[in-house]
mmCIF file of all heavy atoms in Angstrom:
data_model
loop_
_atom_site.group_PDB
_atom_site.id
_atom_site.type_symbol
_atom_site.label_atom_id
_atom_site.label_comp_id
_atom_site.label_asym_id
_atom_site.label_seq_id
_atom_site.Cartn_x
_atom_site.Cartn_y
_atom_site.Cartn_z
ATOM 1 N N ALA A 140 -4.780 5.915 -31.231
ATOM 2 C CA ALA A 140 -6.069 5.355 -31.666
ATOM 3 C C ALA A 140 -6.945 5.001 -30.469
ATOM 4 O O ALA A 140 -8.168 5.214 -30.495
ATOM 5 C CB ALA A 140 -5.842 4.123 -32.542
ATOM 6 N N VAL A 141 -6.350 4.465 -29.397
ATOM 7 C CA VAL A 141 -7.113 4.127 -28.192
ATOM 8 C C VAL A 141 -7.665 5.399 -27.561
ATOM 9 O O VAL A 141 -8.849 5.469 -27.201
ATOM 10 C CB VAL A 141 -6.234 3.335 -27.198
ATOM 11 C CG1 VAL A 141 -6.913 3.218 -25.838
ATOM 12 C CG2 VAL A 141 -5.910 1.955 -27.753
ATOM 13 N N HIS A 142 -6.810 6.424 -27.425
ATOM 14 C CA HIS A 142 -7.283 7.699 -26.891
ATOM 15 C C HIS A 142 -8.438 8.249 -27.727
ATOM 16 O O HIS A 142 -9.456 8.689 -27.185
ATOM 17 C CB HIS A 142 -6.152 8.735 -26.861
ATOM 18 C CG HIS A 142 -5.299 8.686 -25.648
ATOM 19 N ND1 HIS A 142 -4.168 7.920 -25.565
ATOM 20 C CD2 HIS A 142 -5.406 9.324 -24.453
ATOM 21 C CE1 HIS A 142 -3.608 8.086 -24.385
ATOM 22 N NE2 HIS A 142 -4.345 8.929 -23.679
ATOM 23 N N ARG A 143 -8.291 8.250 -29.034
ATOM 24 C CA ARG A 143 -9.342 8.805 -29.892
ATOM 25 C C ARG A 143 -10.656 8.037 -29.748
ATOM 26 O O ARG A 143 -11.733 8.638 -29.698
ATOM 27 C CB ARG A 143 -8.896 8.822 -31.355
ATOM 28 C CG ARG A 143 -8.072 10.050 -31.722
ATOM 29 C CD ARG A 143 -7.906 10.215 -33.213
ATOM 30 N NE ARG A 143 -7.149 9.131 -33.813
ATOM 31 C CZ ARG A 143 -5.819 9.083 -33.875
ATOM 32 N NH1 ARG A 143 -5.098 10.058 -33.357
ATOM 33 N NH2 ARG A 143 -5.225 8.058 -34.452
ATOM 34 N N ALA A 144 -10.581 6.715 -29.656
ATOM 35 C CA ALA A 144 -11.802 5.917 -29.494
ATOM 36 C C ALA A 144 -12.508 6.252 -28.187
ATOM 37 O O ALA A 144 -13.738 6.394 -28.148
ATOM 38 C CB ALA A 144 -11.467 4.427 -29.556
ATOM 39 N N LEU A 145 -11.747 6.403 -27.116
ATOM 40 C CA LEU A 145 -12.336 6.707 -25.809
ATOM 41 C C LEU A 145 -12.817 8.151 -25.730
ATOM 42 O O LEU A 145 -13.931 8.432 -25.281
ATOM 43 C CB LEU A 145 -11.320 6.430 -24.702
ATOM 44 C CG LEU A 145 -10.869 4.983 -24.529
ATOM 45 C CD1 LEU A 145 -9.666 4.900 -23.596
ATOM 46 C CD2 LEU A 145 -12.001 4.104 -24.027
ATOM 47 N N LEU A 146 -11.966 9.080 -26.167
ATOM 48 C CA LEU A 146 -12.275 10.500 -26.009
ATOM 49 C C LEU A 146 -13.311 10.991 -27.015
ATOM 50 O O LEU A 146 -14.061 11.924 -26.726
ATOM 51 C CB LEU A 146 -10.990 11.327 -26.081
ATOM 52 C CG LEU A 146 -10.000 11.047 -24.934
ATOM 53 C CD1 LEU A 146 -8.678 11.783 -25.164
ATOM 54 C CD2 LEU A 146 -10.596 11.418 -23.582
ATOM 55 N N SER A 147 -13.394 10.353 -28.174
ATOM 56 C CA SER A 147 -14.458 10.702 -29.133
ATOM 57 C C SER A 147 -15.834 10.372 -28.553
ATOM 58 O O SER A 147 -16.822 11.036 -28.871
ATOM 59 C CB SER A 147 -14.272 9.951 -30.450
ATOM 60 O OG SER A 147 -13.127 10.417 -31.122
ATOM 61 N N ALA A 148 -15.881 9.356 -27.696
ATOM 62 C CA ALA A 148 -17.123 8.971 -27.017
ATOM 63 C C ALA A 148 -17.332 9.756 -25.718
ATOM 64 O O ALA A 148 -18.265 9.480 -24.966
ATOM 65 C CB ALA A 148 -17.112 7.474 -26.729
ATOM 66 N N GLU A 149 -16.434 10.719 -25.470
ATOM 67 C CA GLU A 149 -16.486 11.564 -24.271
ATOM 68 C C GLU A 149 -16.442 10.765 -22.980
ATOM 69 O O GLU A 149 -17.105 11.093 -21.995
ATOM 70 C CB GLU A 149 -17.684 12.517 -24.325
ATOM 71 C CG GLU A 149 -17.598 13.485 -25.490
ATOM 72 C CD GLU A 149 -18.659 14.576 -25.476
ATOM 73 O OE1 GLU A 149 -19.522 14.589 -24.557
ATOM 74 O OE2 GLU A 149 -18.627 15.420 -26.387
ATOM 75 N N ILE A 150 -15.656 9.689 -22.981
ATOM 76 C CA ILE A 150 -15.392 8.944 -21.752
ATOM 77 C C ILE A 150 -14.378 9.741 -20.946
ATOM 78 O O ILE A 150 -13.328 10.130 -21.467
ATOM 79 C CB ILE A 150 -14.860 7.528 -22.063
ATOM 80 C CG1 ILE A 150 -15.931 6.713 -22.792
ATOM 81 C CG2 ILE A 150 -14.400 6.817 -20.789
ATOM 82 C CD1 ILE A 150 -15.448 5.383 -23.337
ATOM 83 N N ALA A 151 -14.697 10.048 -19.699
ATOM 84 C CA ALA A 151 -13.753 10.733 -18.821
ATOM 85 C C ALA A 151 -12.601 9.771 -18.546
ATOM 86 O O ALA A 151 -12.821 8.647 -18.104
ATOM 87 C CB ALA A 151 -14.446 11.153 -17.529
ATOM 88 N N LEU A 152 -11.384 10.204 -18.807
ATOM 89 C CA LEU A 152 -10.230 9.308 -18.781
ATOM 90 C C LEU A 152 -9.230 9.734 -17.712
ATOM 91 O O LEU A 152 -8.712 10.845 -17.738
ATOM 92 C CB LEU A 152 -9.572 9.298 -20.165
ATOM 93 C CG LEU A 152 -8.447 8.314 -20.395
ATOM 94 C CD1 LEU A 152 -8.885 6.882 -20.122
ATOM 95 C CD2 LEU A 152 -7.942 8.439 -21.831
ATOM 96 N N LEU A 153 -8.967 8.827 -16.768
ATOM 97 C CA LEU A 153 -8.012 9.053 -15.686
ATOM 98 C C LEU A 153 -6.779 8.190 -15.917
ATOM 99 O O LEU A 153 -6.895 6.984 -16.150
ATOM 100 C CB LEU A 153 -8.658 8.676 -14.343
ATOM 101 C CG LEU A 153 -7.766 8.712 -13.106
ATOM 102 C CD1 LEU A 153 -7.373 10.148 -12.754
ATOM 103 C CD2 LEU A 153 -8.460 8.040 -11.926
ATOM 104 N N GLU A 154 -5.595 8.800 -15.829
ATOM 105 C CA GLU A 154 -4.339 8.065 -16.004
ATOM 106 C C GLU A 154 -3.426 8.300 -14.805
ATOM 107 O O GLU A 154 -3.536 9.301 -14.110
ATOM 108 C CB GLU A 154 -3.651 8.511 -17.304
ATOM 109 C CG GLU A 154 -4.461 8.150 -18.538
ATOM 110 C CD GLU A 154 -3.939 8.734 -19.826
ATOM 111 O OE1 GLU A 154 -3.462 9.894 -19.815
ATOM 112 O OE2 GLU A 154 -4.001 8.038 -20.856
ATOM 113 N N SER A 155 -2.528 7.353 -14.569
ATOM 114 C CA SER A 155 -1.573 7.386 -13.450
ATOM 115 C C SER A 155 -2.258 7.319 -12.096
ATOM 116 O O SER A 155 -1.827 7.938 -11.129
ATOM 117 C CB SER A 155 -0.653 8.615 -13.528
ATOM 118 O OG SER A 155 0.206 8.520 -14.634
ATOM 119 N N ALA A 156 -3.334 6.541 -12.011
ATOM 120 C CA ALA A 156 -4.022 6.335 -10.730
ATOM 121 C C ALA A 156 -3.228 5.347 -9.884
ATOM 122 O O ALA A 156 -2.538 4.478 -10.403
ATOM 123 C CB ALA A 156 -5.429 5.805 -10.968
ATOM 124 N N VAL A 157 -3.322 5.493 -8.577
ATOM 125 C CA VAL A 157 -2.656 4.592 -7.631
ATOM 126 C C VAL A 157 -3.725 3.662 -7.052
ATOM 127 O O VAL A 157 -4.531 4.068 -6.220
ATOM 128 C CB VAL A 157 -1.959 5.378 -6.502
ATOM 129 C CG1 VAL A 157 -1.297 4.421 -5.522
ATOM 130 C CG2 VAL A 157 -0.938 6.355 -7.077
ATOM 131 N N LEU A 158 -3.723 2.413 -7.526
ATOM 132 C CA LEU A 158 -4.763 1.460 -7.120
ATOM 133 C C LEU A 158 -4.206 0.250 -6.378
ATOM 134 O O LEU A 158 -4.956 -0.666 -6.060
ATOM 135 C CB LEU A 158 -5.530 0.987 -8.362
ATOM 136 C CG LEU A 158 -6.339 2.056 -9.086
ATOM 137 C CD1 LEU A 158 -6.755 1.589 -10.473
ATOM 138 C CD2 LEU A 158 -7.549 2.436 -8.259
ATOM 139 N N SER A 159 -2.919 0.239 -6.091
ATOM 140 C CA SER A 159 -2.278 -0.953 -5.535
ATOM 141 C C SER A 159 -2.872 -1.420 -4.208
ATOM 142 O O SER A 159 -2.856 -2.614 -3.914
ATOM 143 C CB SER A 159 -0.780 -0.718 -5.379
ATOM 144 O OG SER A 159 -0.537 0.423 -4.577
ATOM 145 N N ALA A 160 -3.433 -0.520 -3.427
ATOM 146 C CA ALA A 160 -3.994 -0.895 -2.124
ATOM 147 C C ALA A 160 -5.503 -1.106 -2.166
ATOM 148 O O ALA A 160 -6.116 -1.378 -1.135
ATOM 149 C CB ALA A 160 -3.654 0.177 -1.086
ATOM 150 N N VAL A 161 -6.102 -0.987 -3.350
ATOM 151 C CA VAL A 161 -7.561 -1.033 -3.453
ATOM 152 C C VAL A 161 -8.026 -2.420 -3.887
ATOM 153 O O VAL A 161 -7.729 -2.855 -4.999
ATOM 154 C CB VAL A 161 -8.073 0.016 -4.458
ATOM 155 C CG1 VAL A 161 -9.597 0.009 -4.491
ATOM 156 C CG2 VAL A 161 -7.548 1.407 -4.119
ATOM 157 N N PRO A 162 -8.767 -3.138 -3.045
ATOM 158 C CA PRO A 162 -9.318 -4.431 -3.468
ATOM 159 C C PRO A 162 -10.369 -4.246 -4.553
ATOM 160 O O PRO A 162 -11.012 -3.198 -4.632
ATOM 161 C CB PRO A 162 -9.963 -4.985 -2.187
ATOM 162 C CG PRO A 162 -9.416 -4.168 -1.062
ATOM 163 C CD PRO A 162 -9.085 -2.830 -1.640
ATOM 164 N N ALA A 163 -10.536 -5.268 -5.379
ATOM 165 C CA ALA A 163 -11.603 -5.236 -6.372
ATOM 166 C C ALA A 163 -12.938 -5.088 -5.655
ATOM 167 O O ALA A 163 -13.132 -5.589 -4.549
ATOM 168 C CB ALA A 163 -11.579 -6.514 -7.208
ATOM 169 N N GLY A 164 -13.858 -4.376 -6.281
ATOM 170 C CA GLY A 164 -15.167 -4.189 -5.673
ATOM 171 C C GLY A 164 -15.814 -2.908 -6.137
ATOM 172 O O GLY A 164 -15.348 -2.260 -7.079
ATOM 173 N N THR A 165 -16.887 -2.515 -5.455
ATOM 174 C CA THR A 165 -17.636 -1.311 -5.802
ATOM 175 C C THR A 165 -17.427 -0.252 -4.730
ATOM 176 O O THR A 165 -17.470 -0.549 -3.531
ATOM 177 C CB THR A 165 -19.135 -1.630 -5.948
ATOM 178 O OG1 THR A 165 -19.276 -2.655 -6.935
ATOM 179 C CG2 THR A 165 -19.919 -0.412 -6.389
ATOM 180 N N TYR A 166 -17.229 0.985 -5.179
ATOM 181 C CA TYR A 166 -16.920 2.112 -4.303
ATOM 182 C C TYR A 166 -17.699 3.332 -4.773
ATOM 183 O O TYR A 166 -18.387 3.286 -5.789
ATOM 184 C CB TYR A 166 -15.422 2.437 -4.360
ATOM 185 C CG TYR A 166 -14.522 1.302 -3.938
ATOM 186 C CD1 TYR A 166 -14.144 0.323 -4.850
ATOM 187 C CD2 TYR A 166 -14.069 1.201 -2.633
ATOM 188 C CE1 TYR A 166 -13.328 -0.731 -4.463
ATOM 189 C CE2 TYR A 166 -13.245 0.158 -2.241
ATOM 190 C CZ TYR A 166 -12.885 -0.805 -3.156
ATOM 191 O OH TYR A 166 -12.076 -1.849 -2.770
ATOM 192 N N PHE A 167 -17.511 4.448 -4.038
ATOM 193 C CA PHE A 167 -18.002 5.746 -4.484
ATOM 194 C C PHE A 167 -16.790 6.546 -4.933
ATOM 195 O O PHE A 167 -15.830 6.709 -4.184
ATOM 196 C CB PHE A 167 -18.744 6.481 -3.358
ATOM 197 C CG PHE A 167 -19.401 7.751 -3.823
ATOM 198 C CD1 PHE A 167 -20.690 7.730 -4.323
ATOM 199 C CD2 PHE A 167 -18.722 8.961 -3.786
ATOM 200 C CE1 PHE A 167 -21.298 8.897 -4.771
ATOM 201 C CE2 PHE A 167 -19.319 10.125 -4.224
ATOM 202 C CZ PHE A 167 -20.612 10.098 -4.720
ATOM 203 N N LEU A 168 -16.818 7.043 -6.163
ATOM 204 C CA LEU A 168 -15.702 7.785 -6.748
ATOM 205 C C LEU A 168 -15.976 9.280 -6.739
ATOM 206 O O LEU A 168 -17.082 9.718 -7.052
ATOM 207 C CB LEU A 168 -15.502 7.337 -8.207
ATOM 208 C CG LEU A 168 -14.509 8.137 -9.050
ATOM 209 C CD1 LEU A 168 -13.079 7.872 -8.591
ATOM 210 C CD2 LEU A 168 -14.670 7.803 -10.531
ATOM 211 N N SER A 169 -14.948 10.054 -6.387
ATOM 212 C CA SER A 169 -14.970 11.502 -6.548
ATOM 213 C C SER A 169 -13.684 11.889 -7.262
ATOM 214 O O SER A 169 -12.594 11.769 -6.701
ATOM 215 C CB SER A 169 -15.073 12.212 -5.191
ATOM 216 O OG SER A 169 -15.025 13.617 -5.385
ATOM 217 N N CYS A 170 -13.797 12.321 -8.520
ATOM 218 C CA CYS A 170 -12.609 12.596 -9.329
ATOM 219 C C CYS A 170 -12.870 13.772 -10.254
ATOM 220 O O CYS A 170 -13.013 13.601 -11.470
ATOM 221 C CB CYS A 170 -12.217 11.361 -10.139
ATOM 222 S SG CYS A 170 -10.727 11.614 -11.112
#
Side-chain angles (χ1 to χ4, degrees):
V141 169
H142 274 90
R143 276 193 296 275
L145 296 169
L146 296 173
S147 292
E149 297 188 358
I150 296 171
L152 187 57
L153 174 69
E154 295 172 322
S155 293
V157 179
L158 295 165
S159 56
V161 183
T165 303
Y166 300 85
F167 187 89
L168 172 71
S169 177
C170 182

